[in-house]
Amino acid sequence: MRRAKISIIGAGNVGATCAHWAAAKELGDIVLLDIPDKVGVAQGKAIDLWCCGPIERFDANIVGTSDYADIAGSDVVIVTAGLPRKPGMSRDDLIETNVKIVRSVCEQIKQHAPKAVVIVVSNPLDAMVYTAWKATGFPTNQILGQAGALDVARFRTFIAGKIGCSIEDVSALLLGGHGDDMVPLPRYTSVHGIPVSQLLPKEVIDSCVERAKVGGGEIVKLMGTSAYYAPASGSVQMAEAIIKDKKRIIPCAAWCQNEYGVGGGFVGVPCVLGKGGMEKVIEVELDASEKKLMDESVSHVKDLVGVVKKMFPDLA
Ligand code: APR
């Protein structure tokens, strides 16, 4: 049987950690690609990880490269290239630099791995997913952004911590953009089927919602750079669902036409992931206050995409 192939663009913190999780799960062969100046880093990390095989018991070819020809035949390409968030950096600075990077990366993906499902991780996420879509020209089912998988994992972790139960028993749902305007939905959060509202007081649930929203910022403040274990774990969870055609429901930045009243755009929603990439958006019923939060989040995502279109009219 043919092994699956995962290419990861950017061999920095998030990219190398994606390779680590993907190897540990034995998802397939792995290509770790970085710019020519950093090809030694990509190659060194690839060899280092490859040599874990006998200990961790995975069979996978892992190569580091700066040559896009090596990503040919990828089932999934994870894009982590770009600057990470640093304290004091303006969002627009990050947009301009990372749009240029993500655009150039995606033009190469289009040429060398036209059938791959692309999972974008670079930030600001919602703007980068739009850029990837425009730069590849891929059908919308082949373009996804990793945000919700991480955000919902953070929310579940904090809830489990408050209850003192296993994180495996906490199930939650989350919508909207990546960042402070994400929309965790306590009404759709349960612990082994028990609504979380029966187990925790409202103010404790609200504190978990708030912590999930600023979870990334909390880590940037502590480390001086952005998180990578959980963002990479979320990305590889998505890659696994696609490679194994699991039809898992995972919140991702995905194309919504009429769903949630978006009217065409990539927004964080629960979707079914399988070998076709994004196979279906799941629409859930929202009450008036949840809908208001979702509408605000969608409008913020559209503003962000508007900034990209204004800066780079050829991506409009
Ligand atoms: N092509 C390939 N790789 C590139 C390119 C490019 N055009 N430009 C930059 N890179 C590489 C860098 O050389 C670096 O190795 O991307 C890597 C980024 O790694 P880090 O600086 O460690 O950043 P990281 O923490 O991995 O974050 C990457 O993911 O979560 C997001 O906000 C985060 O946008 C950031 C991205």
Side-chain angles (χ1 to χ4, degrees):
M1 199 174 86
R2 172 189 169 269
R3 265 197 216 145
K5 180 168 175 179
I6 305 137
S7 292
I8 299 160
I9 315 299
N13 284 336
V14 178
T17 314
C18 282
H20 183 170
W21 291 124
K25 287 170 187 268
E26 205 177 38
L27 289 191
D29 291 335
I30 298 169
V31 174
L32 195 54
L33 185 147
D34 212 299
I35 50 175
D37 276 1
K38 293 243 183 112
V39 68
V41 172
Q43 288 170 331
K45 288 185 179 182
I47 295 169
D48 194 12
L49 189 55
W50 184 45
C51 292
C52 298
I55 307 166
E56 299 299 329
R57 294 185 300 164
F58 59 78
D59 282 301
N61 295 319
I62 306 176
V63 296
T65 184
S66 61
D67 182 355
Y68 276 92
D70 292 329
I71 74 166
S74 297
D75 299 280
V76 172
V77 179
I78 302 177
V79 178
T80 76
L83 291 189
R85 198 149 53 117
K86 299 263 187 253
M89 181 177 270
S90 96
R91 181 162 243 179
D92 280 6
D93 287 346
L94 204 62
I95 285 192
E96 189 168 3
T97 313
N98 283 357
V99 165
K100 284 183 191 155
I101 292 174
V102 169
R103 175 163 67 178
S104 70
V105 164
C106 288
E107 284 164 357
Q108 295 289 331
I109 297 173
K110 177 185 184 177
Q111 193 182 331
H112 295 279
K115 297 217 168 113
V117 176
V118 179
I119 300 173
V120 181
V121 191
S122 312
N123 272 314
L125 192 272
D126 302 288
M128 295 308 122
V129 176
Y130 172 82
T131 302
W133 175 54
K134 280 287 172 178
T136 55
F138 284 0
T140 51
N141 64 298
Q142 262 177 268
I143 302 285
L144 286 160
Q146 187 292 126
L150 160 67
D151 296 331
V152 87
R154 284 184 174 146
F155 184 52
R156 289 170 62 198
T157 303
F158 303 146
I159 290 281
K162 290 292 180 193
I163 294 175
C165 69
S166 165
I167 50 97
E168 284 182 54
D169 290 324
V170 180
S171 168
L173 187 58
L174 183 143
L175 303 172
H178 186 39
D180 298 355
D181 60 334
M182 73 180 74
V183 188
L185 296 172
R187 212 160 57 88
Y188 287 101
T189 301
S190 62
V191 182
H192 200 75
I194 307 157
V196 71
S197 57
Q198 291 185 23
L199 300 172
L200 288 174
K202 184 176 179 309
E203 56 278 13
V204 175
I205 299 171
D206 289 346
S207 73
C208 294
V209 166
E210 279 318 303
R211 193 168 177 202
K213 283 187 182 179
V214 298
E218 182 182 353
I219 293 169
V220 173
K221 235 188 249 167
L222 288 165
M223 301 202 301
T225 193
S226 55
Y228 47 94
Y229 292 116
S233 178
S235 310
V236 170
Q237 181 189 45
M238 292 167 66
E240 182 177 28
I242 295 162
I243 285 166
K244 296 186 179 168
D245 194 25
K246 283 175 80 85
K247 317 288 187 201
R248 285 210 61 189
I249 298 174
I250 299 177
C252 318
W255 181 263
C256 294
Q257 193 55 49
N258 300 317
E259 296 90 346
Y260 295 97
V262 173
F266 291 90
V267 183
V269 286
C271 29
V272 177
L273 300 188
K275 70 172 184 309
M278 199 287 281
E279 298 191 346
K280 187 176 187 235
V281 171
I282 307 278
E283 265 196 290
V284 299
E285 207 183 278
L286 300 179
D287 66 21
S289 64
E290 291 161 347
K291 179 152 186 351
K292 185 166 174 282
L293 289 174
M294 180 60 172
D295 289 347
E296 281 167 11
S297 192
V298 170
S299 130
H300 183 225
V301 169
K302 286 189 173 172
D303 288 348
L304 212 57
V305 169
V307 173
V308 174
K309 290 179 179 172
K310 208 166 159 209
M311 274 182 186
F312 301 91
D314 55 317
L315 288 174

